[in-house]
């Protein structure tokens, strides 16, 4: 079954879920680059868009389950990072919202935007124009490769 699905994606003919199957995939993390108001955001999205929000985290679910969930996602939302590559399995016409961590210029991280362009998805960046100290955790004690912003 997996091979058939991968083949359909590679051939450009993925199974498109009907409206009843559609979800919003919220790419989540458990340690770094957290969406600090994740529960509040999920509730707002569900209420305003009428679609269930499914939390997708590699720490909590197998890769195959991540792929299954994203293959039903009309919208995928998450902080910039490796989980965005699962946008490869989004149905045609999907929307990816990539939140950019504070102090990272969006023009430097264009690879997921390009992936979306190639697949026919819409892609949008969201970045805070300024640091809101209560809502920004910079991890200044960590090395920049581990999410630290002490050198920025």
């Amino acid at each position: 079954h997996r091979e058939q699905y991968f083949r359909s994606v590679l051939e450009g003919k993925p199974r498109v879920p009907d409206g009843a199957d559609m979800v919003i995939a919220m790419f989540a993390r458990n340690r770094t680059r957290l969406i600090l108001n994740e529960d509040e955001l999920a509730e707002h999205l569900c209420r305003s868009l009428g679609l269930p929000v499914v939390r997708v985290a590699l720490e909590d679910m197998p890769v195959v389950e991540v792929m299954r969930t994203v293959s039903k996602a009309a919208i995928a939302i998450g902080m910039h990072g490796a989980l965005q590559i699962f946008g490869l399995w989004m149905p045609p016409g999907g929307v990816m919202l990539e939140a950019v961590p504070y102090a990272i210029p969006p023009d430097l991280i264009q690879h997921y935007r390009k992936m979306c362009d190639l697949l026919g998805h819409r892609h949008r960046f969201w970045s805070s124009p300024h640091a809101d100290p209560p809502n920004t955790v910079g991890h200044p004690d960590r090395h920049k490769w581990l999410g630290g912003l002490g050198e920025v």
Side-chain angles (χ1 to χ4, degrees):
H1 183 263
R2 248 185 317 206
E3 182 180 327
Q4 180 182 12
Y5 181 75
F6 287 135
R7 190 178 311 275
S8 75
V9 170
L10 292 173
E11 292 171 354
K13 304 175 201 164
R15 176 190 149 283
V16 178
D18 63 28
D21 290 341
M22 297 298 254
V23 299
I24 297 170
M26 182 172 292
F27 296 139
R29 298 166 173 275
N30 294 335
R31 289 179 286 169
T32 61
R33 285 183 269 165
L34 304 173
I35 298 174
L36 298 178
N37 64 337
E38 184 179 307
D39 293 337
E40 180 184 337
L41 177 60
E43 185 179 312
H44 175 75
L45 291 169
C46 183
R47 191 174 49 249
S48 61
L49 299 176
L51 292 172
V53 177
V54 179
R55 186 178 193 273
V56 176
L58 284 174
E59 297 99 334
D60 302 334
M61 58 199 319
V63 170
V64 172
E65 187 61 28
V66 172
M67 290 167 30
R68 278 192 198 119
T69 301
V70 175
S71 74
K72 299 185 296 183
I75 302 168
I77 297 174
M79 195 63 73
H80 168 77
L83 274 169
Q84 251 90 35
I85 196 64
F86 286 97
L88 287 167
W89 282 270
M90 284 179 68
V95 176
M96 181 179 288
L97 176 64
E98 183 176 0
V100 181
Y102 167 69
I104 308 297
D107 16 329
L108 296 181
I109 52 173
Q110 296 289 317
H111 36 289
Y112 297 119
R113 182 196 59 79
K114 188 60 165 175
M115 176 191 75
C116 288
D117 288 348
L118 293 169
L119 294 170
H121 304 322
R122 288 171 285 167
H123 179 276
R124 296 292 180 266
F125 284 114
W126 180 88
S127 61
S128 177
H130 55 77
D132 186 1
N135 296 323
T136 300
V137 180
H139 304 292
D141 54 324
R142 293 187 184 168
H143 188 278
K144 65 182 175 182
W145 293 348
L146 298 174
L149 295 177
E151 299 173 29
V152 176

